[in-house]
Amino acid sequence: MQPEQTSADHGVFTIPNLITVIRLLCIPVFLWLLFALDDLGWAGLLLCVLGATDWIDGWVARRFDQGSEWGKILDPVADRIMLITAAGALVIYGTVPLWVGALILFREIAVALATLTLAAAGAARIDVQWSGKAGAFGIMFALPGFIIVDLLGPGMARDVFVVLTGIATIGGLGFSYFSLFEYLPRARTALVDGRRARKVNS
């Protein structure tokens, strides 16, 4: 996940942005593994890798001062596309419960629509907040967890993953929906700031 503040804007051609683009290109591969090959194991492994690289691109951006304004936009967009696609696909496949998928999809679609509406209204951009990052992090752990639970037979290992997946699911959804309430006052401020900036530049 990209840092909220960086010392310089390095443009679009950065290593973290390249990692994010590769993550986006891997989403069709995930769908191909899941539906064309019916290989839940490899699809789950790829989903784990995609979730891990979401942390890696942020670490690279901070460690090597590779942050950019493009990254602040591209990274959350990639997260949103991945969560919507993975949750919807796994609900269709029968691995993720419908109520979990519905809550993930509703939240992500609502945020996407709100972002587009604010942009059309001329609002200033709102940086991703810690609660939204924590929510995405939890859900990215939960979705592969459902896959592991589906693949494991009865036993202690499966029981452990059921508990861990439940914790990640509740925590991820909780932080995700909490972030919606955090964004409400920020959205109003972003609208005011955007209109003020337009007046100054006009």
Side-chain angles (χ1 to χ4, degrees):
M1 298 176 183
Q2 303 289 342
E4 292 183 10
Q5 293 183 344
T6 56
S7 57
D9 182 2
H10 295 277
V12 66
F13 298 107
T14 65
I15 294 175
N17 289 347
L18 176 61
I19 295 172
T20 301
V21 170
I22 292 173
R23 290 171 59 222
L24 283 170
L25 294 176
C26 285
I27 292 174
V29 179
F30 166 78
L31 295 174
W32 175 70
L33 289 170
L34 189 63
F35 293 114
L37 298 187
D38 194 24
D39 196 328
L40 185 60
W42 280 107
L45 180 60
L46 178 58
L47 195 59
C48 288
V49 172
L50 293 177
T53 52
D54 182 45
W55 174 83
I56 291 173
D57 65 2
W59 180 84
V60 171
R62 290 187 294 270
R63 178 66 177 80
F64 299 101
D65 191 22
Q66 287 274 297
S68 68
E69 291 301 314
W70 274 98
K72 291 180 181 180
I73 298 171
L74 187 61
D75 187 66
V77 168
D79 287 347
R80 193 138 295 121
I81 293 174
M82 188 172 72
L83 288 175
I84 290 174
T85 303
L90 291 174
V91 167
I92 293 171
Y93 195 83
T95 298
V96 170
L98 179 60
W99 69 270
V100 174
L103 287 174
I104 293 173
L105 292 173
F106 177 82
R107 191 268 179 188
E108 298 304 322
I109 292 172
V111 171
L113 291 175
T115 301
L116 291 174
T117 301
L118 287 171
R125 183 175 56 79
I126 304 174
D127 286 334
V128 177
Q129 303 302 307
W130 71 269
S131 55
K133 293 179 181 180
F137 187 73
I139 293 171
M140 285 177 183
F141 265 96
L143 293 179
F146 282 109
I147 293 175
I148 295 173
V149 169
D150 202 9
L151 292 173
L152 290 175
M156 182 175 295
R158 186 179 188 277
D159 294 340
V160 169
F161 272 100
V162 167
V163 173
L164 293 176
T165 301
I167 293 172
T169 301
I170 299 302
L173 290 173
F175 279 117
S176 293
Y177 276 87
F178 175 73
S179 70
L180 289 179
F181 293 98
E182 278 198 317
Y183 281 124
L184 290 176
R186 295 179 185 274
R188 289 193 293 268
T189 302
L191 277 172
V192 172
D193 291 344
R195 290 168 180 169
R196 184 183 297 118
R198 288 201 308 275
K199 289 179 180 179
V200 170
N201 295 327
S202 61

